[in-house]
Amino acid sequence: MTADQPPFRDPRLSPGERVDDLLARLTLDEKTAMLHQFAPAVERLGVASFRTGQEALHGVAWMGPATVFPQAVGLGATWNEDLVRRVGEAVSCEVRAMRARDDRVGLNVWAPTVNLLRHPLWGRNEEGYSEDPALTAATAVAYTRGLRGDHPAYWRTAPVLKHWLAHNNETDRATTSSSVRPRVLHEYDLRAFRAAVEAGTVAGVMPAYNLVNGRPNHLSPYLGEHLRGWSDRELLVCSDAGAPSNLVDAEAYFDTHEEATAASLRAGVDSFTDHGTDASVMTGRIRGALEQGLIAESDIDTAVRRQLTVRFSLGEFDPELDPYGDVKDFDTARHRALAQEAAEQSVVLLKNDGVLPVASGRRVAVVGLLADECKLDWYSGTLIHRSTPLDALRERFGAGQVTFAEGVDRVKLRAATGGWLHVPASDAAAGARGAQGALDPALLAGRTDLPPLTCEEGATELALIDWGDGLITLRAPDGRYLSVAEDGYVRASADQPGGWVVRETFRFEGQGEVTGQQGDETGRQESETGRHEGGQLLVHAGTGRYVSVAADGVKVADQGERFEIVVVERGEDAVARAAADADLVVVVAGNDPHINGRETEDRRTLALPEQQDRLWRAAHAANPHTVLVMASAYPYAVPDAHDRLPALLWTAHGGQAAGTALARVLAGDVSPAGRLPQTWYAADADLPDPLDYDIIGSRQTYLYFDGTPLYAFGHGLSYTTFAYDGLVVETTADPHSGPAGPAESVVSEECVRARVTVTNTGTSAADEVVQLYVREARARVPRPHRQLVAHARVHLVAGESRDVELTVRLRELGHYDVAHGRWMVPGGDYVFEAAASSADIRRSVGCTIEGDTPRARSVRTDGLAAARYDEQTGTEIVDLTKVSGDAVTPVRQTGELVFRDCDFGESVVGVGVEVAGAGSVELSLPGGKAVAVLDVPATGGPYDYTTVRARVLLCGVQDLHATLRGPVRLARIDFSG
């Protein structure tokens, strides 16, 4: 450092000293500008511009070509933290390499998503790792450790975890509130975030769009109460895009944007992602809040300090010392091999009656809508390499041994006014959407350099694909999908469906003619939207407008043309022909990640789309040796396929090497060892309401589900067999953490160490995923049927045995004690289970733990916080104030809370309820005996609380029931002696 350089340029000083020095040199306007996602440069100090947010969920996204790894749910299916860490390392290296040639690429990466896959209809299921908090936490630690790098001072990239908190629905996501009771909060949702923060591998978090307990996540008190207590490091909180404005616009939580911005800043949001690259709106709101006295300059300083901490960690101010400054690893042979390894390890064999692996020399028919696809999702980069199941199977078995039928319906559309839909020829160059990269791919426009469709005598045969829920795509013979650009014309212009608003999906509306050529019996189609004689209307889903025919081409308009659908060939007929001529049929079904289940859009059903259901049935009818492969971002309910077909597999969309990986597994070059990271339910009836976040009360996930799933959490078969023997567990003091959550901060902690011998009893080498579960033998409160506490993926050659040791922190056996607001590990008997899945227990052993002794609630001195109930019916938790605290209110007119083991002492003679709203609170004992009814007069607004008192006479230890009637909000119940 030269003599004239300021202290913040001196690497010999501590990071905190350097941050403080730079912060002190910034003007108020300069600091305010830094609070927007796109922070401008401060040229007078030589400080560069900075952007928070670079998508990197399973590869560098939105910035053009990059290595594409399997979707996050696929990485979760590997159950392999070492592999996931290496993927994170490769992704962060590509971030660095891409930034070296394009400074739009940011080093603050918004990944991974650690929201738990509680409900399989969630539209963003593909983004999470698992329904289980321990598996999610372990996978997140591994990925962020790879993203961060291993240098003690400098970070390769700075990961931000998404999305804080309890976010598992897309429908009305900006306005719905997740009612999260304290046990679910502490035992489930917070655990997914905590481990990576404690491990020191993340720079911060991003709040979710939704509300939790009636309060927007961008005002979450848990940011201060929990998140920032898990680490001594300054953690950066980045808002989700547009969420700051939602506080006023969508949620109406505040009257003015100045109030909303001030409240979120005070709650702990440090960087505002709003209005794209235009920072003026948000900085204006911040200045307005400051002028109105809603915030102080110190609030701005706190947020800027957190951002600067990240920037110093990334080596921005020490380029000559940054160990990652010269990283240029991009699309390397190692990255390509890793992408294939990850895809192979994520494949799950669901069922196999001996038809797999496929023997050499057999004739294979590869059929289905995804048989020749390599699908990307919203958070994918652009493919450099591409492998489809068809390509890979032809390469593996020989092109002459593999036949193909896609299974699309081939149709022509005849306008009621005359003429056929026709795709004009064009010599325009092909182009992949997003190939050049875009900071906001939602702004990518459809192509307008191609001629629009016309209506004339010459018909173009189109490939019609029904993706379910009435959504279809239409594809021209040259492979381009019909799409609607901003000018409203319909063109065959898209290489794939995609975009924030998908421009390539349509719906048929009404009843009309569906005819077949050459006398086909094809029947008629009818939708719920109405009947239209003489044909069907074709609605463009993205705009909601109708396809119409005009003199200058086919376009969308308020009034539409009716079309007769003439079927040239049914997809199931083509599939049946291919299947009948093969030794084995591989049906590749699944979803397009941009359609029916994606960000902003939840699924409506677990069922496989009807067209794809027909395809596997047609293949099986023609050839009983039919295998169903589901390449999808989420589970399906396929009980008929399970009963009838000899083999089923699942893989998430596996990235650039998806086809190669699947072919190698089918051929037996790799024995499948992926395991399901979430429960596959047998029917929609098994699912709770998507907005019911109480996994305990409504018995959700493998932890509490009382039914029989189609495929259990952790399920996955192999081409070999494994035997388990000699499970032993013992308690010990261990200086290291278990796999359920890293803890560099843990010096010594009591742990349980388990050891089991696993033997490959088959004839081929393979991986086995050893899973360790625990359950409390005689629980006093509802506890999981069993919960995963450790796992290990091990490779064993035929005949090999290995002792597998697994370590579990004793605290992982505990639960949140709502009676006393603490984490506790009850003393008593526990059962440890070594398993191949949550439903396949191989060995179990009991163990007595010396833990905490449960105590009754000291209600005479502590009272009862309403939200800390033991059980509830018909209630939801809401915000006590706009800053912090919880209250409980009926969802409809009546709700009930149960508080177990209330110790009233020798006697209490008075009760007071802290309430707002209007209605009544009735207190009763088991059996329905009412002890007090407290009428609540209207108090005004929802935050206008009053205390209503009554006389009671209670003594001893008893359960207490509180019945709420009317729009009353109950905050507390207190007793007096």
Side-chain angles (χ1 to χ4, degrees):
M1 187 184 83
T2 62
D4 59 347
Q5 284 186 315
F8 76 83
R9 296 287 183 186
D10 187 352
R12 295 171 298 181
L13 298 178
S14 71
E17 290 174 311
R18 300 176 71 185
V19 168
D20 286 344
D21 178 72
L22 177 53
L23 184 62
R25 295 172 186 274
L26 295 170
T27 67
L28 178 58
D29 284 345
E30 289 167 343
K31 290 184 292 187
T32 301
M34 284 188 173
L35 299 190
H36 189 261
Q37 179 189 17
F38 292 91
V42 183
E43 295 181 358
R44 66 183 184 84
L45 296 175
V47 176
S49 60
F50 185 78
R51 168 198 168 203
T52 60
Q54 170 60 59
E55 301 295 349
L57 183 60
H58 55 110
V60 185
W62 299 5
M63 300 309 299
T67 301
V68 180
F69 293 93
Q71 291 178 308
V73 69
L75 295 176
T78 69
W79 292 58
N80 187 338
E81 285 82 75
D82 176 70
L83 172 72
V84 173
R85 178 194 57 77
R86 288 185 282 127
V87 171
E89 180 181 323
V91 172
S92 65
C93 286
E94 295 205 352
V95 170
R96 283 279 184 163
M98 294 171 71
R99 179 172 174 78
R101 61 177 186 259
D102 184 351
D103 61 9
R104 298 179 307 158
V105 177
L107 298 182
N108 168 226
V109 294
W110 287 351
T113 296
V114 295
N115 297 110
L116 297 163
L117 305 183
R118 172 190 64 87
H119 201 292
L121 296 184
W122 183 34
R124 301 178 77 170
N125 193 87
E126 65 203 30
E127 295 183 39
Y129 290 132
S130 173
E131 71 181 30
D132 179 74
L135 180 58
T136 295
T139 311
V141 169
Y143 192 63
T144 55
R145 181 163 282 134
L147 290 172
R148 180 209 183 281
D150 54 11
H151 193 279
Y154 296 102
W155 295 37
R156 193 161 40 230
T157 62
V160 162
L161 300 176
K162 301 194 297 186
H163 306 84
W164 182 280
L165 186 70
H167 178 61
N168 199 217
N169 66 278
E170 293 303 294
T171 302
D172 299 327
R173 63 179 181 174
T175 55
T176 56
S177 177
S178 308
S179 182
V180 182
R181 61 196 280 189
R183 279 198 60 190
V184 174
L185 175 71
H186 289 273
E187 297 172 29
Y188 197 62
D189 289 293
L190 288 178
R191 288 183 63 202
F193 289 84
R194 182 170 184 168
V197 175
E198 289 184 336
T201 57
V202 299
V205 304
M206 172 189 287
Y209 286 112
N210 63 298
L211 298 82
V212 169
N213 296 344
R215 185 179 298 107
N217 266 314
H218 284 72
L219 308 174
S220 174
Y222 304 138
L223 294 172
E225 294 173 9
H226 299 296
L227 174 72
R228 291 195 160 109
W230 298 335
S231 174
D232 294 332
R233 179 181 174 83
E234 294 279 10
L235 296 173
L236 177 69
V237 176
C238 302
S239 85
D240 209 338
S245 291
N246 285 348
L247 294 170
V248 174
D249 298 340
E251 295 159 353
Y253 201 74
F254 291 103
D255 293 331
T256 70
H257 286 291
E258 288 74 19
E259 291 177 285
T261 303
S264 55
L265 185 65
R266 291 195 307 269
V269 175
D270 308 305
S271 177
F272 293 86
T273 312
D274 210 338
H275 290 83
T277 58
D278 179 8
S280 64
V281 177
M282 286 309 305
T283 55
R285 293 172 182 174
I286 295 167
R287 283 192 293 269
L290 190 63
E291 291 166 0
Q292 295 174 34
L294 301 173
I295 56 173
E297 186 173 355
S298 60
D299 295 313
I300 296 174
D301 288 348
T302 297
V304 174
R305 180 178 288 107
R306 291 165 179 158
Q307 184 186 121
L308 292 177
T309 298
V310 171
R311 296 176 67 170
F312 273 94
S313 296
L314 290 169
E316 176 182 336
F317 300 97
D318 307 316
E320 71 285 353
L321 298 177
D322 182 2
Y324 306 117
D326 294 327
V327 171
K328 295 185 172 57
D329 296 349
F330 179 81
D331 184 32
T332 63
R334 184 174 66 87
H335 290 184
R336 293 192 291 272
L338 182 60
Q340 179 177 318
E341 180 185 2
E344 290 171 357
Q345 290 204 17
S346 68
V347 176
V348 181
L349 180 61
L350 300 171
K351 177 184 178 181
N352 185 22
D353 287 345
V355 71
L356 296 177
V358 182
S360 297
R362 303 196 76 189
R363 293 170 300 136
V364 179
V366 186
V367 304
L369 302 185
L370 275 73
D372 194 26
E373 293 281 1
C374 183
K375 291 290 188 183
L376 298 177
D377 61 30
W378 180 245
Y379 291 103
S380 295
T382 303
L383 288 169
I384 305 172
H385 310 281
R386 180 179 184 269
S387 171
T388 74
L390 176 62
D391 292 337
L393 286 166
R394 281 175 171 168
E395 181 178 353
R396 177 61 180 79
F397 290 102
Q401 293 294 103
V402 177
T403 56
F404 168 64
E406 186 180 10
V408 299
D409 289 341
R410 303 200 175 278
V411 303
K412 299 176 182 178
L413 299 182
R414 180 162 50 200
T417 54
W420 300 80
L421 278 192
H422 175 76
V423 177
S426 173
D427 56 3
R433 189 196 314 263
Q436 304 306 313
L439 288 175
D440 187 354
L443 302 179
L444 288 172
R447 295 182 64 178
T448 57
D449 59 330
L450 295 166
L453 269 63
T454 59
C455 194
E456 54 188 67
E457 289 302 313
T460 297
E461 184 180 300
L462 302 171
L464 186 154
I465 300 173
D466 186 343
W467 294 103
D469 199 25
L471 284 176
I472 66 165
T473 55
L474 295 162
R475 195 179 65 225
D478 66 357
R480 291 174 174 169
Y481 287 81
L482 269 58
S483 182
V484 177
E486 293 290 346
D487 61 5
Y489 286 93
V490 181
R491 298 175 174 87
S493 60
D495 57 304
Q496 286 285 339
W500 184 252
V501 176
V502 178
R503 301 174 181 275
E504 293 75 39
T505 50
F506 300 84
R507 295 180 186 274
F508 283 115
E509 180 180 294
Q511 176 178 313
E513 293 299 316
V514 182
T515 62
Q517 291 187 340
Q518 300 175 351
D520 288 347
E521 293 291 333
T522 57
R524 299 167 67 88
Q525 294 183 353
E526 182 175 344
S527 78
E528 298 177 357
T529 54
R531 300 186 178 191
H532 299 271
E533 294 300 327
Q536 300 191 58
L537 297 171
L538 184 58
V539 183
H540 180 242
T543 60
R545 306 183 78 195
Y546 295 93
V547 174
S548 66
V549 177
D552 57 347
V554 176
K555 61 176 69 173
V556 294
D558 294 334
Q559 300 293 322
E561 185 79 18
R562 295 174 186 168
F563 294 95
E564 175 191 358
I565 307 168
V566 177
V567 178
V568 179
E569 181 182 54
R570 288 289 188 189
E572 52 264 41
D573 295 337
V575 164
R577 286 197 305 273
D581 195 37
D583 298 317
L584 180 80
V585 187
V586 177
V587 181
V588 188
N591 77 306
D592 185 309
H594 296 92
I595 305 172
N596 282 351
R598 50 157 291 168
E599 185 168 357
T600 74
E601 182 181 301
D602 294 320
R603 281 194 296 166
R604 299 188 184 186
T605 178
L606 292 170
L608 198 65
E610 183 179 344
Q611 183 176 6
Q612 300 193 62
D613 187 74
R614 292 197 305 267
L615 294 185
W616 76 255
R617 293 178 188 275
H620 181 250
N623 190 329
H625 303 296
T626 294
V627 175
L628 176 61
V629 176
M630 288 166 284
S632 66
Y634 38 63
Y636 288 111
V638 286
D640 279 2
H642 173 79
D643 290 341
R644 300 185 186 188
L645 299 180
L648 294 89
L649 301 93
W650 171 74
T651 175
H653 294 285
Q656 65 187 47
T660 299
L662 180 61
R664 283 172 52 78
V665 169
L666 292 173
D669 301 331
V670 176
S671 182
R675 300 293 183 262
L676 291 181
Q678 63 188 128
T679 303
W680 281 46
Y681 297 93
D684 291 340
D686 292 334
L687 300 178
D689 187 289
L691 294 179
D692 185 349
Y693 279 74
D694 185 0
I695 67 164
I696 300 173
S698 54
R699 315 300 290 172
Q700 299 180 44
T701 78
Y702 84 97
L703 296 166
Y704 294 99
F705 181 57
D706 295 320
T708 301
L710 181 63
Y711 300 114
F713 171 79
H715 173 71
L717 305 177
S718 173
Y719 291 153
T720 189
T721 55
F722 297 94
Y724 288 59
D725 195 24
L727 175 63
V728 176
V729 298
E730 59 182 358
T731 57
T732 180
D734 196 317
H736 305 292
S737 66
E744 277 77 350
S745 59
V746 174
V747 176
S748 182
E749 181 178 359
E750 191 171 2
C751 296
V752 175
R753 186 169 292 165
R755 183 177 66 254
V756 65
T757 302
V758 181
T759 303
N760 183 339
T761 54
T763 59
S764 59
D767 289 359
E768 171 68 333
V769 177
V770 182
Q771 303 167 38
L772 183 67
Y773 295 87
V774 68
R775 55 185 172 87
E776 191 177 354
R778 287 174 288 277
R780 295 179 70 254
V781 300
R783 297 296 306 276
H785 295 303
R786 56 182 49 86
Q787 67 182 79
L788 181 74
V789 289
H791 65 275
R793 181 165 177 150
V794 295
H795 184 76
L796 299 172
V797 299
E800 180 183 1
S801 295
R802 185 179 304 176
D803 289 342
V804 178
E805 291 193 358
L806 300 165
T807 302
V808 184
R809 291 188 296 170
L810 192 64
R811 76 177 312 274
E812 300 298 330
L813 278 57
H815 68 89
Y816 187 74
D817 176 12
V818 291
H820 301 94
R822 60 169 184 160
W823 188 266
M824 69 174 293
V825 179
D829 296 333
Y830 291 78
V831 178
F832 287 82
E833 300 169 330
S837 82
S838 62
D840 185 3
I841 310 303
R842 301 297 182 87
R843 289 288 184 269
S844 63
V845 63
C847 181
T848 300
I849 301 296
E850 295 183 5
D852 302 313
T853 301
R855 307 193 313 269
R857 296 173 180 263
S858 302
V859 298
R860 182 169 179 153
T861 56
D862 299 337
L864 293 170
R868 282 166 47 182
Y869 53 76
D870 288 285
E871 299 168 23
Q872 67 85 28
T873 303
T875 70
E876 64 178 344
I877 302 177
V878 293
D879 51 336
L880 180 69
T881 73
K882 290 188 176 184
V883 176
S884 64
D886 296 324
V888 180
T889 192
V891 174
R892 293 180 176 83
Q893 283 299 308
T894 304
E896 184 182 51
L897 306 176
V898 181
F899 302 90
R900 300 290 183 196
D901 298 332
C902 298
D903 186 356
F904 297 101
E906 293 185 1
S907 70
V908 297
V909 296
V911 63
V913 293
E914 186 180 351
V915 287
S920 68
V921 178
E922 177 183 306
L923 303 180
S924 60
L925 299 178
K929 179 183 177 182
V931 296
V933 177
L934 298 96
D935 292 320
V936 181
T939 64
Y943 307 113
D944 296 326
Y945 282 84
T946 188
T947 299
V948 178
R949 303 184 186 277
R951 292 187 59 79
V952 295
L953 182 60
L954 295 167
C955 63
V957 178
Q958 304 187 65
D959 295 345
L960 184 70
H961 296 240
T963 301
L964 312 182
R965 294 187 174 90
V968 63
R969 290 183 168 210
L970 174 65
R972 289 188 56 80
I973 307 174
D974 288 292
F975 299 90
S976 59

